[in-house]
């Protein structure tokens, strides 16, 4: 079983419902591994109460980093090419006072002041540092995030694509306000395949749940794809099954309707 977290099984208040926790526990009792595929970092996964004991693997940073919660360790990591990071910073530098830019080093988030102001710190962020644009270039980066008070993720993506070869990066969005940047040829589908390889499972044997465009690659790979009722229109159009919203426990409801749990 493969699922996104935020907007798919995590509600607007940041919690899992009792029904979702019960469904995940029943999957474990039935010997069905649960894999999450997310834009969050490992720290962001570790803050979700009720998930750790039933989680087999986490595909983090939109596929760039694999994490095992039992024991806690990094399973793989893919970094953005240094040249691509430099180009992204250069493209955005003329607007750097308004555009927020953050980068994940594999250990912590580093970001400019605008990103911190636009996306205030939450518990799931973990350690972070406020840096200048130049300091973003000092160490390997496995994920980046861009936001703006007056530009949509699609506009930000166009700004970046106009200057950077699209084959050097992967652009997607995990919510309606942030553009996510992953290494070239890395997405949730590639990450899920890496996680499943370690479990001896094929992507075509999975059921995958999602709600946003960054979920589309793994949904297309799955044997059966399920879109949440609150999902992005592209996700709803692409999925095999439409369930109810995250607030209505669509994950657990769908598993019951499919006969996976009772």
């Amino acid at each position: 079983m493969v699922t996104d977290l935020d907007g798919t099984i995590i509600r607007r208040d940041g919690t899992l419902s009792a029904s979702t926790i019960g469904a995940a526990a029943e999957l474990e009792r039935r010997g069905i591994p649960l894999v999450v595929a997310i834009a969050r970092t490992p720290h962001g996964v570790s803050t979700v109460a009720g998930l750790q004991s039933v989680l087999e693997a986490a595909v983090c940073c939109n596929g760039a980093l694999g994490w095992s919660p039992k024991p806690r360790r990094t399973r793989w990591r893919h970094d953005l090419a240094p040249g691509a990071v430099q180009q992204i910073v250069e493209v955005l530098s003329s607007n750097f006072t308004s555009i927020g830019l953050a980068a994940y080093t594999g250990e912590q988030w580093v970001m400019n002041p605008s990103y911190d102001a636009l996306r205030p710190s939450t518990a799931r962020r973990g350690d972070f540092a406020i840096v200048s644009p130049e300091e973003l270039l000092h160490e390997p980066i496995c994920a980046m995030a861009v936001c703006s008070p007056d530009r949509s993720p699609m506009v930000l993506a166009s700004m970046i694509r106009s200057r950077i070869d699209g084959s050097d990066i992967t652009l997607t969005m995990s919510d309606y306000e942030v553009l996510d940047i992953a290494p070239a040829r890395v997405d949730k589908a590639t990450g899920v395949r890496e996680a499943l390889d370690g479990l001896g499972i094929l992507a075509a044997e999975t059921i995958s749940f999602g709600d946003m465009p960054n979920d589309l690659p793994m949904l297309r790979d799955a044997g059966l794809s399920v879109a949440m009722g609150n999902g992005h229109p592209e996700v709803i159009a692409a999925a095999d099954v439409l369930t109810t919203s995250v607030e209505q426990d669509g994950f657990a409801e769908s598993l019951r309707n499919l006969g996976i749990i009772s």
Side-chain angles (χ1 to χ4, degrees), residues 167-244:
S167 64
D168 291 338
I169 54 175
T170 300
L171 301 178
T172 188
M173 51 186 283
S174 55
D175 68 31
Y176 290 94
E177 298 178 354
V178 177
L179 176 70
D180 296 310
I181 307 175
R185 297 172 294 282
V186 169
D187 56 30
K188 285 195 178 184
T190 64
V192 166
R193 288 197 294 270
E194 287 193 75
L196 295 177
D197 282 347
L199 301 172
I201 300 171
L202 299 175
E205 298 172 327
T206 65
I207 300 173
S208 290
F209 292 77
D211 71 314
M212 288 298 290
N214 63 331
D215 298 320
L216 286 169
M218 75 173 186
L219 294 176
R220 295 186 183 114
D221 250 16
L224 183 71
S225 58
V226 183
M228 306 305 293
N230 53 281
H232 189 282
E234 289 182 40
V235 176
I236 292 174
D240 299 314
V241 175
L242 176 64
T243 188
T244 53

Side-chain angles (χ1 to χ4, degrees), residues 4-73:
D4 172 54
L5 284 183
D6 297 288
T8 300
I9 65 172
I10 293 182
R11 300 174 294 185
R12 285 189 295 270
D13 65 2
T15 65
L16 300 175
S17 71
S19 180
T20 296
I21 293 172
E26 186 168 346
L27 290 174
E28 183 182 44
R29 288 194 297 271
R30 291 173 179 260
I32 301 173
L34 178 62
V35 175
V36 296
I38 49 182
R40 289 189 183 214
T41 68
H43 178 85
V45 180
S46 70
T47 63
V48 183
L51 187 65
Q52 306 310 305
S53 63
V54 297
L55 183 61
E56 188 66 36
V59 176
C60 300
C61 301
N62 287 311
L65 192 149
W67 187 67
S68 173
K70 302 179 291 189
R72 297 188 178 197
R73 64 181 179 88

Side-chain angles (χ1 to χ4, degrees), residues 109-184:
W109 283 103
V110 292
M111 62 193 66
N112 70 340
S114 295
Y115 191 92
D116 185 49
L118 292 167
R119 306 284 289 184
S121 180
T122 62
R124 78 182 194 188
R125 180 186 286 176
D127 292 338
F128 69 97
I130 307 298
V131 301
S132 67
E134 295 75 19
E135 289 177 280
L136 289 171
L137 309 176
H138 289 174
E139 51 190 317
I141 299 297
C142 61
M144 301 181 78
V146 186
C147 61
S148 168
D150 54 9
R151 296 174 176 89
S152 70
M154 298 302 293
V155 171
L156 294 170
S158 296
M159 289 175 60
I160 293 171
R161 286 195 181 102
S162 69
R163 296 274 299 276
I164 298 176
D165 185 344
S167 64
D168 291 338
I169 54 175
T170 300
L171 301 178
T172 188
M173 51 186 283
S174 55
D175 68 31
Y176 290 94
E177 298 178 354
V178 177
L179 176 70
D180 296 310
I181 307 175

Side-chain angles (χ1 to χ4, degrees), residues 52-93:
Q52 306 310 305
S53 63
V54 297
L55 183 61
E56 188 66 36
V59 176
C60 300
C61 301
N62 287 311
L65 192 149
W67 187 67
S68 173
K70 302 179 291 189
R72 297 188 178 197
R73 64 181 179 88
T74 298
R75 298 177 61 179
W76 74 82
R77 173 177 167 167
H78 304 293
D79 288 333
L80 284 144
V85 175
Q86 181 168 353
Q87 286 182 298
I88 291 166
V89 171
E90 289 174 354
V91 167
L92 301 177
S93 61

